[in-house]
Amino acid sequence: MLHLTGITPALSPTARAASTHALRLARERETTVCLDVNHRSRLWTADQASAVLRDGIPYVDILSSSTDGLSLCLPPGSPANITAQAGQLPAAGVTEIVVKLGPDGAISYTHPQPHPANQRPCHPHHAIDGSLHQPAVPVQAVDPMGAGDAFVAGYLSTLLDGEGVVGRLERGVTTGAFAVTSPGDWKGAPTRAELHLLGAPPGTVVR
């Protein structure tokens, strides 16, 4: 798997060229590509970001974004509604769009795949339109820094474990919740053995 964010191509022309080259190599080698939009207005304008991101979309399999990032991946004049925006991306080859909703959790839009008549869909929890919402894990937030990155780390690690969208979203909101319970952008990152701790009852002793 290749995972890129919109921060890298914003850093310099050479970083942008390296990102583009990596995308092309991944496609040639049939490697799954995940792109997290992660727009930073201090690094480049929305117009600059949109021009580069739209060029990269045909190489992307999984697109991750906050609610205000999907529009950067679409042509000007695209609808403002998130579901409508997500519906336009499969035509460019994106098979899965994951939108991070902060305290409201996350939602995944998957491009419907045809199934043989004798087989059931991959997961019974998928809605007809291919969307699935996962509420956030309720925690006492200390610092929101790094929550989005932590979500994507949890989501992709579950994908690499071979689990479906439901499991990916569940781990994503869990790792995101861990991130906001500690100061800094990585100090709260859990190990796999610690993933269950947010559900432990008050007073649980951990040694």
mmCIF file of all heavy atoms in Angstrom, residues 117-149:
data_model
loop_
_atom_site.group_PDB
_atom_site.id
_atom_site.type_symbol
_atom_site.label_atom_id
_atom_site.label_comp_id
_atom_site.label_asym_id
_atom_site.label_seq_id
_atom_site.Cartn_x
_atom_site.Cartn_y
_atom_site.Cartn_z
ATOM 1 N N ALA A 117 -25.247 -13.606 -8.778
ATOM 2 C CA ALA A 117 -26.604 -13.833 -8.261
ATOM 3 C C ALA A 117 -26.626 -14.780 -7.076
ATOM 4 O O ALA A 117 -27.506 -14.705 -6.229
ATOM 5 C CB ALA A 117 -27.490 -14.379 -9.385
ATOM 6 N N ASN A 118 -25.634 -15.666 -6.984
ATOM 7 C CA ASN A 118 -25.635 -16.660 -5.908
ATOM 8 C C ASN A 118 -24.816 -16.222 -4.700
ATOM 9 O O ASN A 118 -24.553 -16.999 -3.810
ATOM 10 C CB ASN A 118 -25.091 -18.000 -6.421
ATOM 11 C CG ASN A 118 -23.656 -17.887 -6.905
ATOM 12 O OD1 ASN A 118 -23.179 -16.784 -7.159
ATOM 13 N ND2 ASN A 118 -22.991 -19.019 -7.028
ATOM 14 N N GLN A 119 -24.387 -14.936 -4.667
ATOM 15 C CA GLN A 119 -23.595 -14.454 -3.548
ATOM 16 C C GLN A 119 -24.291 -13.265 -2.900
ATOM 17 O O GLN A 119 -24.964 -12.475 -3.561
ATOM 18 C CB GLN A 119 -22.194 -14.043 -4.001
ATOM 19 C CG GLN A 119 -21.332 -15.227 -4.437
ATOM 20 C CD GLN A 119 -19.913 -14.779 -4.753
ATOM 21 O OE1 GLN A 119 -19.549 -13.640 -4.496
ATOM 22 N NE2 GLN A 119 -19.127 -15.681 -5.286
ATOM 23 N N ARG A 120 -24.073 -13.122 -1.586
ATOM 24 C CA ARG A 120 -24.602 -11.985 -0.857
ATOM 25 C C ARG A 120 -23.588 -10.854 -0.916
ATOM 26 O O ARG A 120 -22.407 -11.077 -1.150
ATOM 27 C CB ARG A 120 -24.862 -12.364 0.609
ATOM 28 C CG ARG A 120 -25.936 -13.425 0.783
ATOM 29 C CD ARG A 120 -25.973 -13.888 2.225
ATOM 30 N NE ARG A 120 -26.317 -12.792 3.128
ATOM 31 C CZ ARG A 120 -27.560 -12.440 3.418
ATOM 32 N NH1 ARG A 120 -28.577 -13.064 2.865
ATOM 33 N NH2 ARG A 120 -27.803 -11.460 4.249
ATOM 34 N N PRO A 121 -24.000 -9.594 -0.697
ATOM 35 C CA PRO A 121 -23.051 -8.494 -0.617
ATOM 36 C C PRO A 121 -22.014 -8.754 0.472
ATOM 37 O O PRO A 121 -22.237 -9.537 1.388
ATOM 38 C CB PRO A 121 -23.948 -7.286 -0.273
ATOM 39 C CG PRO A 121 -25.299 -7.663 -0.794
ATOM 40 C CD PRO A 121 -25.396 -9.157 -0.586
ATOM 41 N N CYS A 122 -20.898 -8.036 0.380
ATOM 42 C CA CYS A 122 -19.777 -8.292 1.285
ATOM 43 C C CYS A 122 -20.149 -8.101 2.744
ATOM 44 O O CYS A 122 -19.643 -8.793 3.604
ATOM 45 C CB CYS A 122 -18.611 -7.363 0.933
ATOM 46 S SG CYS A 122 -17.895 -7.729 -0.675
ATOM 47 N N HIS A 123 -21.000 -7.131 3.059
ATOM 48 C CA HIS A 123 -21.350 -6.895 4.454
ATOM 49 C C HIS A 123 -22.791 -6.424 4.549
ATOM 50 O O HIS A 123 -23.198 -5.506 3.848
ATOM 51 C CB HIS A 123 -20.421 -5.849 5.073
ATOM 52 C CG HIS A 123 -20.409 -5.940 6.569
ATOM 53 N ND1 HIS A 123 -21.458 -5.504 7.353
ATOM 54 C CD2 HIS A 123 -19.481 -6.428 7.430
ATOM 55 C CE1 HIS A 123 -21.176 -5.716 8.629
ATOM 56 N NE2 HIS A 123 -20.001 -6.261 8.697
ATOM 57 N N PRO A 124 -23.601 -7.024 5.414
ATOM 58 C CA PRO A 124 -25.021 -6.681 5.492
ATOM 59 C C PRO A 124 -25.294 -5.294 6.034
ATOM 60 O O PRO A 124 -26.409 -4.804 5.941
ATOM 61 C CB PRO A 124 -25.578 -7.757 6.435
ATOM 62 C CG PRO A 124 -24.414 -8.185 7.265
ATOM 63 C CD PRO A 124 -23.234 -8.115 6.337
ATOM 64 N N HIS A 125 -24.294 -4.611 6.637
ATOM 65 C CA HIS A 125 -24.538 -3.305 7.220
ATOM 66 C C HIS A 125 -24.433 -2.173 6.210
ATOM 67 O O HIS A 125 -24.703 -1.039 6.519
ATOM 68 C CB HIS A 125 -23.562 -3.053 8.373
ATOM 69 C CG HIS A 125 -23.793 -3.957 9.539
ATOM 70 N ND1 HIS A 125 -24.906 -3.871 10.332
ATOM 71 C CD2 HIS A 125 -23.058 -4.989 10.031
ATOM 72 C CE1 HIS A 125 -24.847 -4.798 11.292
ATOM 73 N NE2 HIS A 125 -23.736 -5.484 11.118
ATOM 74 N N HIS A 126 -23.997 -2.468 4.982
ATOM 75 C CA HIS A 126 -23.903 -1.428 3.973
ATOM 76 C C HIS A 126 -25.289 -0.936 3.595
ATOM 77 O O HIS A 126 -26.211 -1.716 3.395
ATOM 78 C CB HIS A 126 -23.209 -1.948 2.717
ATOM 79 C CG HIS A 126 -21.723 -1.979 2.844
ATOM 80 N ND1 HIS A 126 -20.976 -0.840 2.841
ATOM 81 C CD2 HIS A 126 -20.859 -3.009 2.991
ATOM 82 C CE1 HIS A 126 -19.693 -1.161 2.958
ATOM 83 N NE2 HIS A 126 -19.604 -2.469 3.064
ATOM 84 N N ALA A 127 -25.431 0.392 3.501
ATOM 85 C CA ALA A 127 -26.677 0.952 3.011
ATOM 86 C C ALA A 127 -26.737 0.759 1.497
ATOM 87 O O ALA A 127 -25.743 0.454 0.856
ATOM 88 C CB ALA A 127 -26.753 2.439 3.367
ATOM 89 N N ILE A 128 -27.939 0.979 0.938
ATOM 90 C CA ILE A 128 -28.117 0.773 -0.489
ATOM 91 C C ILE A 128 -27.195 1.680 -1.290
ATOM 92 O O ILE A 128 -26.682 1.298 -2.339
ATOM 93 C CB ILE A 128 -29.591 1.023 -0.876
ATOM 94 C CG1 ILE A 128 -30.489 -0.024 -0.201
ATOM 95 C CG2 ILE A 128 -29.786 0.989 -2.385
ATOM 96 C CD1 ILE A 128 -31.968 0.214 -0.415
ATOM 97 N N ASP A 129 -26.970 2.898 -0.786
ATOM 98 C CA ASP A 129 -26.139 3.838 -1.528
ATOM 99 C C ASP A 129 -24.650 3.633 -1.263
ATOM 100 O O ASP A 129 -23.820 4.411 -1.713
ATOM 101 C CB ASP A 129 -26.527 5.284 -1.191
ATOM 102 C CG ASP A 129 -26.302 5.620 0.278
ATOM 103 O OD1 ASP A 129 -25.904 4.730 1.045
ATOM 104 O OD2 ASP A 129 -26.521 6.779 0.655
ATOM 105 N N GLY A 130 -24.290 2.594 -0.551
ATOM 106 C CA GLY A 130 -22.886 2.299 -0.328
ATOM 107 C C GLY A 130 -22.251 3.114 0.779
ATOM 108 O O GLY A 130 -21.033 3.180 0.865
ATOM 109 N N SER A 131 -23.043 3.738 1.645
ATOM 110 C CA SER A 131 -22.482 4.546 2.720
ATOM 111 C C SER A 131 -22.668 3.871 4.069
ATOM 112 O O SER A 131 -23.620 3.113 4.274
ATOM 113 C CB SER A 131 -23.128 5.938 2.754
ATOM 114 O OG SER A 131 -24.489 5.844 3.122
ATOM 115 N N LEU A 132 -21.740 4.140 4.968
ATOM 116 C CA LEU A 132 -21.813 3.582 6.313
ATOM 117 C C LEU A 132 -21.242 4.597 7.297
ATOM 118 O O LEU A 132 -20.117 5.083 7.112
ATOM 119 C CB LEU A 132 -21.010 2.279 6.386
ATOM 120 C CG LEU A 132 -21.019 1.566 7.742
ATOM 121 C CD1 LEU A 132 -22.410 1.014 8.032
ATOM 122 C CD2 LEU A 132 -19.996 0.428 7.750
ATOM 123 N N HIS A 133 -22.024 4.932 8.317
ATOM 124 C CA HIS A 133 -21.583 5.915 9.313
ATOM 125 C C HIS A 133 -21.165 5.213 10.597
ATOM 126 O O HIS A 133 -21.819 4.273 11.043
ATOM 127 C CB HIS A 133 -22.714 6.908 9.616
ATOM 128 C CG HIS A 133 -22.368 7.871 10.714
ATOM 129 N ND1 HIS A 133 -22.915 7.789 11.977
ATOM 130 C CD2 HIS A 133 -21.503 8.920 10.741
ATOM 131 C CE1 HIS A 133 -22.422 8.762 12.717
ATOM 132 N NE2 HIS A 133 -21.564 9.459 12.005
ATOM 133 N N GLN A 134 -20.074 5.682 11.183
ATOM 134 C CA GLN A 134 -19.596 5.161 12.457
ATOM 135 C C GLN A 134 -19.490 6.318 13.453
ATOM 136 O O GLN A 134 -18.719 7.249 13.240
ATOM 137 C CB GLN A 134 -18.214 4.506 12.292
ATOM 138 C CG GLN A 134 -17.613 3.962 13.576
ATOM 139 C CD GLN A 134 -18.389 2.766 14.117
ATOM 140 O OE1 GLN A 134 -18.832 1.926 13.332
ATOM 141 N NE2 GLN A 134 -18.554 2.684 15.410
ATOM 142 N N PRO A 135 -20.264 6.295 14.546
ATOM 143 C CA PRO A 135 -20.160 7.369 15.538
ATOM 144 C C PRO A 135 -18.785 7.396 16.194
ATOM 145 O O PRO A 135 -18.072 6.392 16.217
ATOM 146 C CB PRO A 135 -21.248 7.003 16.564
ATOM 147 C CG PRO A 135 -22.155 6.064 15.850
ATOM 148 C CD PRO A 135 -21.302 5.310 14.886
ATOM 149 N N ALA A 136 -18.419 8.556 16.714
ATOM 150 C CA ALA A 136 -17.149 8.689 17.422
ATOM 151 C C ALA A 136 -17.214 7.968 18.766
ATOM 152 O O ALA A 136 -18.294 7.742 19.318
ATOM 153 C CB ALA A 136 -16.824 10.166 17.643
ATOM 154 N N VAL A 137 -16.048 7.603 19.278
ATOM 155 C CA VAL A 137 -15.954 7.026 20.625
ATOM 156 C C VAL A 137 -15.977 8.185 21.622
ATOM 157 O O VAL A 137 -15.134 9.092 21.540
ATOM 158 C CB VAL A 137 -14.659 6.211 20.797
ATOM 159 C CG1 VAL A 137 -14.550 5.675 22.211
ATOM 160 C CG2 VAL A 137 -14.614 5.076 19.778
ATOM 161 N N PRO A 138 -16.924 8.229 22.563
ATOM 162 C CA PRO A 138 -16.988 9.352 23.508
ATOM 163 C C PRO A 138 -15.822 9.330 24.495
ATOM 164 O O PRO A 138 -15.628 8.356 25.221
ATOM 165 C CB PRO A 138 -18.333 9.136 24.216
ATOM 166 C CG PRO A 138 -18.614 7.664 24.084
ATOM 167 C CD PRO A 138 -18.012 7.255 22.768
ATOM 168 N N VAL A 139 -15.027 10.386 24.488
ATOM 169 C CA VAL A 139 -13.900 10.521 25.405
ATOM 170 C C VAL A 139 -13.794 11.981 25.840
ATOM 171 O O VAL A 139 -14.410 12.865 25.248
ATOM 172 C CB VAL A 139 -12.561 10.097 24.741
ATOM 173 C CG1 VAL A 139 -12.539 8.605 24.446
ATOM 174 C CG2 VAL A 139 -12.293 10.908 23.490
ATOM 175 N N GLN A 140 -12.986 12.211 26.866
ATOM 176 C CA GLN A 140 -12.695 13.577 27.292
ATOM 177 C C GLN A 140 -11.527 14.090 26.459
ATOM 178 O O GLN A 140 -10.401 13.645 26.620
ATOM 179 C CB GLN A 140 -12.333 13.603 28.782
ATOM 180 C CG GLN A 140 -12.065 14.997 29.334
ATOM 181 C CD GLN A 140 -13.308 15.874 29.315
ATOM 182 O OE1 GLN A 140 -14.387 15.432 29.706
ATOM 183 N NE2 GLN A 140 -13.159 17.111 28.880
ATOM 184 N N ALA A 141 -11.799 15.014 25.556
ATOM 185 C CA ALA A 141 -10.759 15.506 24.651
ATOM 186 C C ALA A 141 -9.796 16.436 25.377
ATOM 187 O O ALA A 141 -10.211 17.317 26.124
ATOM 188 C CB ALA A 141 -11.394 16.221 23.475
ATOM 189 N N VAL A 142 -8.504 16.209 25.128
ATOM 190 C CA VAL A 142 -7.447 17.043 25.694
ATOM 191 C C VAL A 142 -6.800 17.894 24.615
ATOM 192 O O VAL A 142 -6.536 19.078 24.802
ATOM 193 C CB VAL A 142 -6.382 16.167 26.389
ATOM 194 C CG1 VAL A 142 -5.199 17.009 26.861
ATOM 195 C CG2 VAL A 142 -6.996 15.407 27.555
ATOM 196 N N ASP A 143 -6.529 17.292 23.467
ATOM 197 C CA ASP A 143 -5.849 17.977 22.376
ATOM 198 C C ASP A 143 -6.247 17.299 21.062
ATOM 199 O O ASP A 143 -5.992 16.109 20.880
ATOM 200 C CB ASP A 143 -4.329 17.891 22.588
ATOM 201 C CG ASP A 143 -3.547 18.657 21.536
ATOM 202 O OD1 ASP A 143 -4.163 19.211 20.608
ATOM 203 O OD2 ASP A 143 -2.309 18.705 21.642
ATOM 204 N N PRO A 144 -6.869 18.039 20.135
ATOM 205 C CA PRO A 144 -7.319 17.418 18.886
ATOM 206 C C PRO A 144 -6.202 17.163 17.879
ATOM 207 O O PRO A 144 -6.425 16.530 16.849
ATOM 208 C CB PRO A 144 -8.324 18.433 18.343
ATOM 209 C CG PRO A 144 -7.819 19.754 18.845
ATOM 210 C CD PRO A 144 -7.270 19.464 20.225
ATOM 211 N N MET A 145 -5.002 17.634 18.169
ATOM 212 C CA MET A 145 -3.895 17.489 17.226
ATOM 213 C C MET A 145 -3.622 16.017 16.909
ATOM 214 O O MET A 145 -3.486 15.195 17.807
ATOM 215 C CB MET A 145 -2.628 18.122 17.812
ATOM 216 C CG MET A 145 -1.437 18.145 16.854
ATOM 217 S SD MET A 145 -1.711 19.280 15.480
ATOM 218 C CE MET A 145 -1.688 20.858 16.343
ATOM 219 N N GLY A 146 -3.572 15.703 15.635
ATOM 220 C CA GLY A 146 -3.218 14.345 15.216
ATOM 221 C C GLY A 146 -4.371 13.371 15.141
ATOM 222 O O GLY A 146 -4.163 12.215 14.779
ATOM 223 N N ALA A 147 -5.589 13.821 15.443
ATOM 224 C CA ALA A 147 -6.725 12.896 15.447
ATOM 225 C C ALA A 147 -6.995 12.329 14.058
ATOM 226 O O ALA A 147 -7.286 11.142 13.902
ATOM 227 C CB ALA A 147 -7.972 13.598 15.983
ATOM 228 N N GLY A 148 -6.901 13.180 13.036
ATOM 229 C CA GLY A 148 -7.158 12.719 11.681
ATOM 230 C C GLY A 148 -6.139 11.699 11.213
ATOM 231 O O GLY A 148 -6.491 10.683 10.601
ATOM 232 N N ASP A 149 -4.880 11.960 11.515
ATOM 233 C CA ASP A 149 -3.822 11.012 11.149
ATOM 234 C C ASP A 149 -3.999 9.692 11.890
ATOM 235 O O ASP A 149 -3.789 8.608 11.328
ATOM 236 C CB ASP A 149 -2.444 11.600 11.456
ATOM 237 C CG ASP A 149 -2.125 12.806 10.589
ATOM 238 O OD1 ASP A 149 -2.644 12.870 9.456
ATOM 239 O OD2 ASP A 149 -1.365 13.680 11.040
#
